[in-house]
Amino acid sequence: MLKAAGAILVIFACTALGYVQSLTFQKRLGCLDEIRKMTVLLLGEITYRKEALPQAMERVSGKVAAPFSEFLKEVSREAGNCQGVRFSQIFAGRAQTFFKDSGMIRQDTESFAQLGEYLGYMDVTMQQNTIQLYLKELELQIQQAQKEEPVKTKLYRSMGAMGGIFLAVMLL
């Protein structure tokens, strides 16, 4: 009786782990969509309003979701202080901090942090071109993730359940 209860708990725990992993993948897709929205809004602020980058980030921060709004406010505040630190260092450092637990993979975070390398010190045209290039790359990442999503979701969930069953059988 005790072994059966333990086996059921092992199966349940492994299945839950598979579901959590699939939800993390879906969370990544949501983050990539929010980054796309944020980047498009930032491009609009730079292009049409001719805002300086810290002010553009401050304006966009009110239009995006939670970790991204805090990220933009923090980068804007630090860039506005002009502490002698390059904008790219501020941007990359904050990206690593804010998006550590967001569900994004390392490649996504590094790609986003690289965007900061080319913002802030060039003229408006070069910033526009850089953002548009990043948006094209981001669109490819989103399309790839959307193609993988049904397969990976099913894989994570079934591997969790099957792993739990295998482990329960091995323990019995």
Side-chain angles (χ1 to χ4, degrees):
M1 183 67 171
L2 196 56
K3 283 185 179 184
I8 290 171
L9 287 175
V10 166
I11 292 170
F12 177 74
C14 289
T15 303
L17 189 62
Y19 273 86
V20 166
Q21 192 63 32
S22 70
L23 289 175
T24 301
F25 190 80
Q26 291 170 350
K27 187 177 175 183
R28 173 184 177 231
L29 268 172
C31 286
L32 291 176
D33 279 338
E34 195 66 24
I35 287 175
R36 176 177 42 192
K37 175 184 172 184
M38 177 181 70
T39 308
V40 168
L41 289 171
L42 197 59
L43 178 64
E45 291 291 325
I46 291 170
T47 303
Y48 300 111
R49 295 179 66 82
K50 304 291 186 203
E51 292 274 358
L53 197 56
Q55 287 78 22
M57 288 181 150
E58 185 68 35
R59 290 181 69 85
V60 170
S61 71
K63 300 173 185 172
V64 293
F68 303 99
S69 61
E70 285 88 21
F71 166 77
L72 289 173
K73 286 177 185 175
E74 185 73 22
V75 170
S76 173
R77 186 182 54 76
E78 285 191 31
N81 289 342
C82 298
Q83 301 168 349
V85 179
R86 289 183 28 215
F87 179 79
S88 61
Q89 292 173 327
I90 295 169
F91 194 89
R94 292 294 165 227
Q96 296 296 333
T97 303
F98 277 89
F99 305 131
K100 180 175 35 177
D101 298 326
S102 67
M104 292 174 23
I105 61 175
R106 186 176 52 85
Q107 175 190 356
D108 298 336
T109 307
E110 287 176 359
S111 175
F112 181 68
Q114 238 179 1
L115 175 65
E117 286 285 326
Y118 304 105
L119 292 177
Y121 70 91
M122 297 184 285
D123 65 344
V124 173
T125 306
M126 288 300 290
Q127 287 184 25
Q128 290 171 345
N129 293 339
T130 300
I131 291 174
Q132 288 171 346
L133 177 64
Y134 175 72
L135 282 171
K136 287 179 185 176
E137 291 174 9
L138 182 62
E139 193 62 41
L140 290 174
Q141 286 178 332
I142 291 172
Q143 288 174 358
Q144 181 69 26
Q146 285 173 337
K147 272 196 271 184
E148 293 175 352
E149 190 222 353
V151 174
K152 284 196 173 186
T153 299
K154 189 174 184 177
L155 175 73
Y156 291 144
R157 291 177 179 178
S158 61
M159 287 299 290
M162 296 304 287
I165 292 169
F166 176 74
L167 189 58
V169 168
M170 292 299 292
L171 292 174
L172 289 177

